[in-house]
Amino acid sequence: MSSERTEVQVRPGVEADLDALTDIYNHYVRETAVTFDTAAFSPEERRPWLLSHPVDGPYPLMVATMTAPGEISQEILGYATSSPYRAKPAYGTSVETTVYVAPHAGRRGIGTLLYKALFEALADEDLHRAYAGIAQPNEASVRLHERFGFRHVGTYAEVGRKFGRYWDVAWYEKEL
């Protein structure tokens, strides 16, 4: 029996991750109200999203991976990103952040590792605030964001309709 342990690592996302990242996102599209997208994507449809997250700058894509002992391939456990908050130029120092964890990898601290790496990557950027919209209810996401210093600033009531019902979105803010 090997004494080597699997270890989770966080690194910038790359083009080769696109299929796995799309699979993770599509789980949330099909099974949850976490995202208000209602139709699954092909990897090719998600390519512009991937390309909008370069390695440097204020919109990185951080990916959590695990490599088992003796294996070369890395299993992708989740990802975190920042994106433009709004398109108008005056919003340029604000970002919206998000994190998605593979369904089988929840409750293992993956989201915490991803957000830690994301906020470290953002530390040297010319940014002032981060925002996160959390479809309600989602206690795990609320706890994660609060752990990173986000505070609740308001809730949009019944702002999205998915699965035949309306969902609230709570908005959180963090000073960068």
Side-chain angles (χ1 to χ4, degrees):
M1 180 168 213
S2 172
S3 63
E4 293 180 70
R5 295 179 24 211
T6 58
E7 190 171 313
V8 176
Q9 297 181 334
V10 178
R11 60 165 172 77
V14 296
E15 181 112 6
D17 300 331
L18 184 58
D19 288 352
L21 297 174
T22 301
D23 287 344
I24 291 170
Y25 188 70
N26 282 340
H27 162 78
Y28 289 94
V29 170
R30 288 187 304 266
E31 305 295 328
T32 77
V34 167
T35 174
F36 285 176
D37 278 319
T38 58
F41 291 84
S42 70
E44 200 53 43
E45 290 169 322
R46 287 286 282 177
R47 187 173 309 286
W49 165 84
L50 179 89
L51 296 175
S52 72
H53 297 286
V55 173
D56 56 355
Y59 312 123
L61 164 63
M62 304 308 292
V63 174
T65 63
M66 181 176 63
T67 305
E71 304 245 345
I72 296 172
S73 66
Q74 295 181 334
E75 177 187 7
I76 295 180
L77 302 175
Y79 65 92
T81 64
S82 62
S83 301
Y85 175 67
R86 296 285 183 264
K88 295 179 179 168
Y91 290 117
T93 60
S94 297
V95 293
E96 186 172 347
T97 63
T98 191
V99 61
Y100 287 92
V101 176
H104 69 280
R107 301 193 182 277
R108 292 175 29 196
I110 305 300
T112 298
L113 290 172
L114 285 163
Y115 255 10
K116 182 177 184 292
L118 179 66
F119 290 115
E120 285 174 1
L122 295 177
D124 293 329
E125 297 298 328
D126 181 24
L127 296 173
H128 185 61
R129 291 276 193 270
Y131 295 91
I134 304 172
Q136 297 297 302
N138 189 338
E139 271 307 307
S141 187
V142 168
R143 280 193 310 274
L144 174 67
H145 286 84
E146 288 176 346
R147 190 175 315 125
F148 278 89
F150 282 83
R151 65 181 183 85
H152 182 253
V153 292
T155 299
Y156 294 161
E158 298 184 350
V159 68
R161 186 172 67 184
K162 188 172 180 180
F163 304 135
R165 69 169 272 205
Y166 287 96
W167 300 89
D168 296 349
V169 174
W171 282 93
Y172 285 77
E173 173 185 70
K174 171 187 172 63
E175 185 175 342
L176 296 174

